[in-house]
Amino acid sequence: MGLFDSIAGQVLGSLSQGTQGDHTGGLLGAVGNLINSHPGGLQGLVTAFEQQGLGGVVASWVGTGQNLAISPEQIQSVLGNQQIQALAQSLGFSPQDASAKLAELLPQVVDKLTPQGQLPQGGGVDLAGLMGMLGGLKA
């Protein structure tokens, strides 16, 4: 796991602790864990989407243009039933709701973590700037 992925997970985790009254914080923390636990971190997650034929979709999240939508079914096809089940259970959601929430939130997170339109090469991440970028996420 690269330094960037570690910092991104910490930032997302801290956001999850600061949100109360809804599931936004838990979702952000879950996305952070998803990125950190995926082999290869953010790059590995992007590669998994590409391998499932969703390269154009995930490229729109990384790029500087408009993010293309993804369906809950597509999220499930990339992440698999086991990962969705575990996420759903940890958040108190049904697997369908967890996939739907990820379909809403994951494009925003990837977009915010790649503001220059490129995946980071690890290291050299400005933590304060990253916190500011992620602060505007909505789930």
Side-chain angles (χ1 to χ4, degrees):
M1 173 186 339
L3 176 62
F4 176 81
D5 298 316
S6 176
I7 291 172
Q10 291 172 2
V11 170
L12 290 168
S14 70
L15 285 173
S16 71
Q17 294 169 1
T19 305
Q20 298 178 7
D22 62 20
H23 291 286
T24 304
L27 285 167
L28 286 172
V31 171
N33 288 336
L34 176 69
I35 292 169
N36 280 333
S37 66
H38 203 281
L42 182 59
Q43 175 66 56
L45 188 62
V46 167
T47 300
F49 279 89
E50 292 170 344
Q51 290 173 342
Q52 291 295 316
L54 297 168
V57 173
V58 76
S60 75
W61 306 346
V62 172
T64 57
Q66 183 175 354
N67 294 337
L68 295 177
I70 189 165
S71 72
E73 294 79 18
Q74 290 170 314
I75 290 284
Q76 187 145 356
S77 75
V78 173
L79 300 179
N81 290 335
Q82 186 176 10
Q83 198 163 17
I84 295 295
Q85 289 279 355
L87 177 74
Q89 186 174 10
S90 72
L91 294 172
F93 289 156
S94 71
Q96 295 80 12
D97 287 344
S99 294
K101 292 294 185 183
L102 277 177
E104 292 174 25
L105 189 59
L106 192 57
Q108 294 179 63
V109 170
V110 173
D111 183 62
K112 295 293 185 185
L113 293 176
T114 56
Q116 306 302 313
Q118 297 178 356
L119 288 169
Q121 298 302 310
V125 175
D126 174 9
L127 184 57
L130 187 58
M131 287 284 290
M133 287 185 294
L134 293 174
L137 294 180
K138 299 176 183 174

